[in-house]
Amino acid sequence: MKTPNKVTKRKLEPSSTPEDVPYCESPSKVIKSDQTGVFIPGNHEAEMCYGGEADLHKHVTGCKKNPGHKGFIPLKDFNANCLPSRYHDDDLMSETIKTMAALTVQVKTKFTSLERPEFYPGTQVPYLCYNDRGSHVMRLGTGRVFGVNTYTESDRTCRCAKCQVSATPSKVWGEVRVLTATHVVFDDSEARQTRCVLGFDDNKSPVVSLDGWEVDEADIERDTCWLSYETCDLELVDELEKMCERFYDLCREVRNKYSRFFDVDKLTVIVSHPHGCPKQVSVGQWTHKHERYYDDDDDDDYDTWTRYWYTTCTCPGSSGAAVYRLGYGMWLNQHPHSGSNSEGNYSGELLWD
C-alpha cells in the first residue's frame, strides 16, 4: 500500500472548546509563495535509541549540536528573569510558559511503521527510519496536549485498555489530544506502541503515562501529527481541560497586553525533552517565516500555511515540541518543532497565522 502525504482519520466533535480547532485540509492549487525554491528538510530532532534508554546518557554527553547544552533552562529554575527585560516584573509571561510546560509531554515510540516512505515528498532526502521499518528501535520526541473533550452522551463506550477488558466499560469518557511531529509518530501502527508521559518536570516528579494512541491526522510533508487517546479517568481529563483553558486565556491576555512588541521582540519559547531529559525551557527569537498560499475552492479566499525559523535552542528529543510565539493565541501556537537546516531551527508547517 502506498502511503499518502496526508492521512485523515476520525474527527470526534468536541463537547465544548474555546475556539474552533482547524483540521488541515490538503490544498489543491498553489497560488503564490514567498519561499525561494523548494523547502528541503534538514536534520530531524527525534532522539534515536538503538540501545534502548541506556543510550541516553551517551547522547547527552556526546551531543554535537549543542555541546554543554547552553540555552536550556530546567523547568524548576525558570522564572520571569529568564525572559527579556521588559517581562521581568510581570508574572503573566512566565505563568504562560509554565502553563504550556504543564501541557508538554514526552513522546516515546517503540515501533517503526512498515509504511514509512523512502524519501520526503518531492525530494531525494531520505525519510527518517525508512531502514528501520518493522523494528522496535526506541524513538523519543516531545508533544503538547492541545485539546481535551468529554463525552457523556456518546453512542459508544470508552475504548481505553481498562474498558476494553471490562464487562461494564464506561459510558462517560474523555479524549486527550496531543500534537507532535509526524517523523516522531507516523501512523496508527506506531501510535499503538507510543507512550506519552505527563508531568516529567524533573527526575523526582510523579508522572502519568498514557499508552496506546491513535492518529487522528498526520501530514508527512508538513510534519504534523495529531494523536488522540481515550480514557475513563475523568479526574485527569478535568485537570487537563482546565489547563488547556487556562493556557488559552493566558495567550489572549499576553496578546492584548503586548501586541505592540510582537515584531520587536519576536519572542519564541520552546519547552521540550531534549535527549529524553526532564522538561527544559529555551528562549529565543523567530527570525523569519515561509508562507504558502493556496486556493482550495472557487471563492477568492486563500489558505495560508506557515513555517517558522528561530534561534531558540533545541536538541534531539525536541522534535514535536510546541513553538510558542509571543502574541499568538493557543490554537495559533501549535507549530511543532521539526528540525534544523542551514537557515536554523525550524517548525512544521501549519494552516493559519
Side-chain angles (χ1 to χ4, degrees):
M1 182 180 72
K2 184 178 179 181
T3 304
N5 286 356
K6 173 173 170 287
V7 178
T8 302
K9 292 194 63 183
R10 64 185 183 88
K11 297 179 183 178
L12 295 175
E13 293 299 325
S15 55
S16 63
T17 181
E19 264 186 82
D20 291 331
V21 184
Y23 278 89
C24 301
E25 301 298 333
S26 288
S28 59
K29 183 172 62 174
V30 178
I31 299 300
K32 62 178 180 177
S33 173
D34 71 354
Q35 287 186 235
T36 55
V38 177
F39 169 71
I40 303 298
N43 297 318
H44 72 84
E45 293 201 335
E47 182 71 279
M48 304 301 300
C49 299
Y50 289 93
E53 293 195 41
D55 277 354
L56 291 178
H57 178 72
K58 176 178 66 177
H59 293 167
V60 172
T61 57
C63 178
K64 295 181 180 179
K65 181 181 182 187
N66 189 3
H69 297 100
K70 296 179 180 178
F72 284 117
I73 307 165
L75 180 60
K76 62 182 178 63
D77 297 331
F78 177 78
N79 56 53
N81 290 330
C82 300
L83 297 167
S85 59
R86 76 171 85 255
Y87 309 106
H88 286 182
D89 297 323
D90 188 353
D91 290 333
L92 177 60
M93 276 301 305
S94 59
E95 184 182 356
T96 302
I97 303 308
K98 289 179 180 179
T99 305
M100 182 176 75
L103 295 169
T104 297
V105 302
Q106 183 187 49
V107 181
K108 295 183 178 181
T109 304
K110 295 185 178 181
F111 181 69
T112 301
S113 172
L114 295 170
E115 303 299 333
R116 285 198 173 225
E118 185 173 3
F119 302 107
Y120 283 89
T123 77
Q124 292 297 304
V125 178
Y127 195 74
L128 177 64
C129 292
Y130 174 76
N131 293 327
D132 295 323
R133 290 172 301 161
S135 74
H136 292 270
V137 174
M138 178 178 287
R139 192 168 51 255
L140 297 178
T142 305
R144 197 195 76 199
V145 176
F146 74 94
V148 181
N149 301 317
T150 303
Y151 297 90
T152 58
E153 299 180 359
S154 174
D155 58 0
R156 63 173 176 81
T157 56
C158 180
R159 298 186 297 185
C160 71
K162 175 183 175 182
C163 286
Q164 286 185 24
V165 297
S166 172
T168 56
S170 180
K171 296 181 180 180
V172 180
W173 50 279
E175 178 195 32
V176 180
R177 304 167 79 189
V178 163
L179 177 61
T180 188
T182 305
H183 72 261
V184 176
V185 183
F186 185 78
D187 60 13
D188 272 345
S189 68
E190 295 184 0
R192 284 191 290 268
Q193 298 192 51
T194 291
R195 168 176 291 180
C196 288
V197 181
L198 294 84
F200 187 23
D201 296 350
D202 58 48
N203 287 317
K204 296 181 180 180
S205 299
V207 300
V208 176
S209 298
L210 304 179
D211 294 281
W213 292 71
E214 279 192 342
V215 171
D216 269 350
E217 183 174 328
D219 194 303
I220 304 170
E221 184 177 4
R222 298 183 180 92
D223 203 21
T224 52
C225 177
W226 287 262
L227 298 170
S228 69
Y229 176 85
E230 293 183 14
T231 178
C232 56
D233 184 348
L234 299 182
E235 185 175 338
L236 173 64
V237 171
D238 182 62
E239 181 182 355
L240 291 175
E241 184 172 33
K242 288 178 179 176
M243 280 195 287
C244 285
E245 291 174 351
R246 180 57 180 155
F247 183 55
Y248 170 78
D249 289 340
L250 288 167
C251 286
R252 182 172 54 191
E253 290 178 35
V254 169
R255 181 179 61 211
N256 292 339
K257 184 171 183 178
Y258 292 108
S259 60
R260 65 188 183 279
F261 299 121
F262 290 0
D263 294 327
V264 176
D265 293 336
K266 296 186 176 181
L267 182 65
T268 304
V269 181
I270 295 176
V271 181
S272 68
H273 290 278
H275 304 294
C277 293
K279 291 173 189 172
Q280 305 286 313
V281 183
S282 49
V283 181
Q285 293 179 300
W286 63 268
T287 57
H288 61 289
K289 65 180 177 180
H290 289 173
E291 293 182 338
R292 297 196 290 172
Y293 302 89
Y294 297 87
D295 182 8
D296 60 357
D297 48 37
D298 295 329
D299 60 29
D300 294 329
D301 294 329
Y302 300 152
D303 289 336
T304 303
W305 297 79
T306 60
R307 185 188 307 274
Y308 281 83
W309 274 257
Y310 33 84
T311 63
T312 316
C313 289
T314 60
C315 266
S318 297
S319 280
V323 180
Y324 175 81
R325 291 167 296 123
L326 171 68
Y328 294 86
M330 177 177 178
W331 305 124
L332 304 185
N333 263 307
Q334 293 192 106
H335 288 74
H337 175 63
S338 185
S340 62
N341 60 15
S342 60
E343 297 181 60
N345 295 330
Y346 63 84
S347 72
E349 189 179 52
L350 278 183
L351 180 65
W352 289 5
D353 191 13

